[in-house]
Amino acid sequence: MTEIEVDEAPTRAAGSSRRFVWGLGAIGVVALAVRWFLVLAARPTCGSEAEGGCFRVAGLALWYHEQARLLADGHGFAHPFQYLDTGDIIPSALHPPLYSGILGLFSAIGLDTVTAHRLISGVIGLLAVVAVGVLARRLGGDRVGLLAAGIAAVYPALWINDGMLQPESLLALLTALVLLAAFRLDVDPSVRRVAVLGALIGLATLTRPEML
């Protein structure tokens, strides 16, 4: 069985680290631009009169959006469809709570529109790109890290979720962080690193249950 040796990576020079940080920062700008262009220009949120090519919130996207608003209003994790149909507040665990919980935090400070939630998801997607780059750098060095981040920045299967209010945006970030924490634990085991890995797995499970 082939093993990836991550504990024998050569020490990186300070100049190399700075180039990686600047390169990853530039890729991050591109990643955010791609995601926000989708939300603001390529497929903006539908208004009162739907136009061709706009995004109409429905299905799971509507669930997360409305549950976040209910959470911000102090109703907890309520069933949003039941509330929209009858006005009744009924607690629900039908879908994992972390994604709507994060959107709820921003809703509490006034960022509670569909467009705002989509833009916030774009920022989560940006963080996922950065995490992918850091993970790949740990495995293969600066060039591999930047290449992986560059692919993640423009890969449609990643950025499409950000504009559609799907929890996979958050799941991509947490998956990369889980893997990074696992490699760090393998190289230098400690109770703290076990706790970090366990916490990240727990957060991933609160995003999509199959991550357990």
Side-chain angles (χ1 to χ4, degrees):
M1 181 176 179
T2 303
E3 295 183 356
I4 299 175
E5 297 292 342
V6 296
D7 54 338
E8 298 181 358
T11 303
R12 301 181 182 90
S16 175
S17 297
R18 285 194 294 269
R19 286 193 296 271
F20 176 79
V21 170
W22 280 104
L24 189 59
I27 292 172
V29 171
V30 173
L32 188 61
V34 168
R35 285 151 176 80
W36 281 11
F37 176 80
L38 172 69
V39 174
L40 298 175
R43 198 180 181 196
T45 305
C46 295
S48 56
E49 296 182 2
E51 299 177 357
C54 65
F55 174 77
R56 178 173 292 281
V57 61
L60 281 180
L62 180 61
W63 173 282
Y64 292 114
H65 168 67
E66 290 295 340
Q67 189 175 68
R69 289 161 59 95
L70 289 170
L71 184 63
D73 290 338
H75 298 304
F77 291 96
H79 196 301
F81 295 164
Q82 185 70 38
Y83 175 77
L84 291 174
D85 287 342
T86 67
D88 296 331
I89 300 296
I90 300 176
S92 175
L94 184 59
H95 297 289
L98 187 58
Y99 183 58
S100 54
I102 291 175
L103 295 180
L105 292 176
F106 287 95
S107 295
I109 60 174
L111 300 176
D112 61 350
T113 65
V114 174
T115 297
H117 284 172
R118 295 175 73 198
L119 292 174
I120 292 164
S121 291
V123 175
I124 295 174
L126 158 66
L127 296 177
V129 169
V130 171
V132 167
V134 173
L135 172 63
R137 182 193 188 221
R138 186 170 186 84
L139 298 177
D142 289 358
R143 291 184 179 179
V144 172
L146 293 177
L147 177 61
I151 293 172
V154 297
Y155 184 49
L158 290 179
W159 56 252
I160 193 65
N161 295 308
D162 305 333
M164 295 180 65
L165 285 181
Q166 298 299 314
E168 282 75 14
S169 300
L170 181 59
L171 191 62
L173 169 60
L174 289 170
T175 300
L177 292 178
V178 165
L179 291 171
L180 186 59
F183 282 123
R184 289 174 60 85
L185 175 63
D186 182 62
V187 171
D188 186 16
S190 68
V191 173
R192 181 180 63 84
R193 291 187 174 187
V194 169
V196 169
L197 177 59
L200 288 170
I201 292 173
L203 291 174
T205 305
L206 290 174
T207 306
R208 288 294 297 265
E210 61 267 30
M211 290 303 293
L212 187 58

